[in-house]
């Protein structure tokens, strides 16, 4: 493996040098069995009729609230009480829920920004507020999956660790000299791989059907790059890296020309295996049950199969882009969602990076045969990404519809992931960068897509992880010595962050990159100050900007 690998934080420093539908059973045979792992069943299974009624009647405005509640007594006792009282004329659903469940704990919201602190100092002082202590064991049928080490949560309604958020949070932890927390979080993810078999969307039992964009090997890479003994880091986490990769590749040996897709794996026309997002459930999400039921009803009314649509919805959540027009067949309406029919450039770039990092670990540890195997996997995927996922028509890497071998034509910042992972060939990269400068560059950064649909992963919203991956990708291929475009995006984004912080004294989850007159464009969660990945990307970007002035 000859690829030159540059850790992301170091990259920035280098700038100085350059009706409720019928759905399938909720006990799918290919799902993780929570009970076998001594993890309580998810709330949709524990509480059945009660769960559905609470969510459909919106006892809580946010569907995530109920699934994060902690029962005061055993679930069986709650359900017996519900069956005994729910048909009474004076039954009050909300009162019943509050009598039998404790609401999820809300972090203290009194954290105040110090006007005398810089935004960077504010973020560093916020890490303890976003820290959650190691969980010895789950509370009485709580949906929380315990973790052995302390960890950082994103903030607001996101009360648990989230997979791909954590990588970008770690960038800020490195800048804050908190390598201890970086190591804690990598250990927690390795623990999940060892116990659950993969890294779920978050450490909740209702997330056990899906993962998120696979950044684990890059977390290991980041930790190794900042360690006194990087080889020891790779040796320690190699089994977990490989186990996670094999989870994504499950079924690769059985796909065929006649049956080209199974789980996450898709066989391309030349026989190469690429991957798709694929949730192992085909029913409404527990945390967004009402919203999913409404979408599925609309899809069924338009002739679609409810279970298929439910899986597409859930798989869109696995992508982290929940939701975006990139997943909608008509580019506008969610009921047309087609996630599992698409082979995405972001996912395949991240799995390419995993192949590189696993192969590199085997190489430095002296296992030539295993290194050669992953080297061959890397070469095959790199060629396939350039062959199948690049669209000559649009000049971007696009989601590829494997069922009819067509590009969707719905461009997004996912196009920059092959550049960030250094797998785009030079001609493709040059075209993508030129087109991005023409189409995406906005006053406050880069929008996720170019069309406003009302979905949060479309224009006008810009998202921290996409800014970072875009800047990294451009910097990998930019010929100009001063990396002007990458630094321009960096400055636009950090200035946008600073503008919102000046207005509301908060870092928020996403930002409006078009209209800078808004007080806090892109929205925020009011529960507590945050937001994990916004904090991390800001600190990493500011480190790069500040080092431009160093002689």
């Amino acid at each position: 493996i000859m690829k030159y690998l540059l850790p992301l934080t170091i990259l920035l420093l280098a700038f100085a040098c350059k009706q409720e539908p019928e759905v399938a059973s909720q006990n799918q045979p290919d799902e993780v069995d929570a009970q076998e792992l001594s993890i309580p069943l998810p709330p949709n299974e524990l509480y059945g009729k009660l769960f559905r009624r609470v969510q459909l009647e919106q006892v809580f405005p946010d569907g995530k609230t109920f699934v994060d509640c902690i029962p005061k007594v055993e679930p069986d006792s709650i359900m017996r009480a519900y069956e005994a009282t729910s048909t009474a004329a004076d039954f009050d659903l909300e009162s019943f829920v509050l009598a039998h469940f404790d609401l999820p704990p809300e972090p203290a919201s009194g954290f105040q920004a110090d006007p005398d602190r810089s935004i960077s100092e504010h973020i560093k002082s916020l890490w303890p507020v976003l820290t959650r202590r190691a969980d010895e064991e789950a509370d009485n049928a709580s949906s929380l999956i315990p973790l052995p080490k302390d960890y950082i949560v994103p903030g607001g309604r996101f009360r648990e660790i989230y997979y791909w958020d954590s990588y970008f949070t770690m960038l800020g932890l490195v800048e804050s000299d908190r390598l201890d927390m970086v190591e804690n979080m990598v250990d927690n993810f390795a623990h999940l791989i060892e116990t659950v078999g993969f890294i779920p969307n978050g450490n909740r039992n209702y997330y056990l059907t899906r993962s998120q964009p696979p950044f684990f090997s890059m977390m290991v890479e980041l930790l190794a790059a900042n360690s006194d003994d990087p080889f020891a880091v790779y040796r320690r986490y190699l089994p977990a890296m490989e186990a996670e990769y094999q989870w994504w590749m499950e079924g690769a040996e059985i796909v065929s020309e006649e049956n080209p897709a199974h789980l996450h794996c898709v066989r391309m026309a030349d026989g190469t295996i690429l991957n798709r997002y694929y949730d192992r459930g085909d029913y409404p999400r527990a945390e967004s049950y009402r919203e999913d039921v409404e979408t599925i009803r609309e899809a069924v009314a338009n002739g679609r199969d409810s279970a298929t649509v439910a899986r597409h919805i859930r798989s869109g959540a696995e992508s982290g882009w929940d939701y975006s027009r990139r997943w909608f067949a008509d580019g506008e309406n969610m009921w047309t969602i087609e996630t599992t029919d698409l082979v995405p450039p972001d996912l395949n770039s991240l799995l390419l990076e995993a192949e590189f990092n696993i192969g590199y670990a085997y190489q430095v540890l002296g296992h030539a045969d295993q290194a050669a195997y992953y080297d061959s996997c890397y070469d095959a995927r790199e060629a396939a990404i350039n062959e199948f996922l690049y669209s000559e028509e649009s000049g971007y890497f696009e989601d590829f519809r494997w069922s009819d071998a067509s590009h969707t034509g719905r461009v997004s910042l996912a196009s920059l992931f092959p550049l960030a992972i250094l797998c785009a060939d030079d001609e493709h990269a040059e075209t993508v960068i030129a087109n991005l400068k023409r189409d995406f560059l906005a006053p406050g950064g880069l929008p996720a897509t170019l069309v406003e649909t009302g979905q949060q992963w479309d224009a006008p919203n810009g998202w921290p992880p996409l800014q970072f991956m875009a800047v990294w990708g451009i910097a990998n291929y930019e010929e100009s010595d001063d990396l002007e475009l990458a630094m321009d995006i960096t400055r636009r984004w950090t200035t946008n962050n600073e503008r919102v912080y000046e207005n509301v004294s908060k870092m928020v989850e996403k930002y409006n990159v078009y209209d800078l007159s808004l007080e806090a464009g892109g929205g925020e969660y009011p529960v507590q100050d945050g937001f994990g990945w916004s904090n991390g990307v800001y600190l990493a970007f500011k480190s790069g900007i500040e080092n431009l002035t160093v002689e």
Side-chain angles (χ1 to χ4, degrees), residues 213-227:
F215 276 88
F216 180 70
S217 82
M218 292 173 63
M219 296 176 185
V220 173
E221 173 193 347
L222 181 65
L223 184 61
N226 291 278
S227 168

Side-chain angles (χ1 to χ4, degrees), residues 106-114 117 122 126 129 505-506 526-529:
E106 300 290 359
S109 58
F111 184 84
Q112 297 293 322
D114 185 338
R117 284 177 174 161
H122 164 75
L126 188 57
V129 180
S505 300
K506 291 180 183 291
V527 173
Q528 71 168 69
D529 213 323

Side-chain angles (χ1 to χ4, degrees), residues 349-365:
S349 297
L350 293 171
L351 289 172
L352 183 78
E353 185 74 349
E355 288 163 344
F356 172 80
N357 282 326
I358 296 168
Y360 176 75
Y362 271 125
Q363 180 178 307
V364 299
L365 296 175

Side-chain angles (χ1 to χ4, degrees), residues 427-448:
E427 183 179 351
H428 291 163
E430 182 180 351
T431 303
V432 169
I433 292 171
N435 290 342
L436 177 130
K437 185 175 183 179
R438 179 195 67 204
D439 298 333
F440 278 86
L441 193 59
L446 304 171

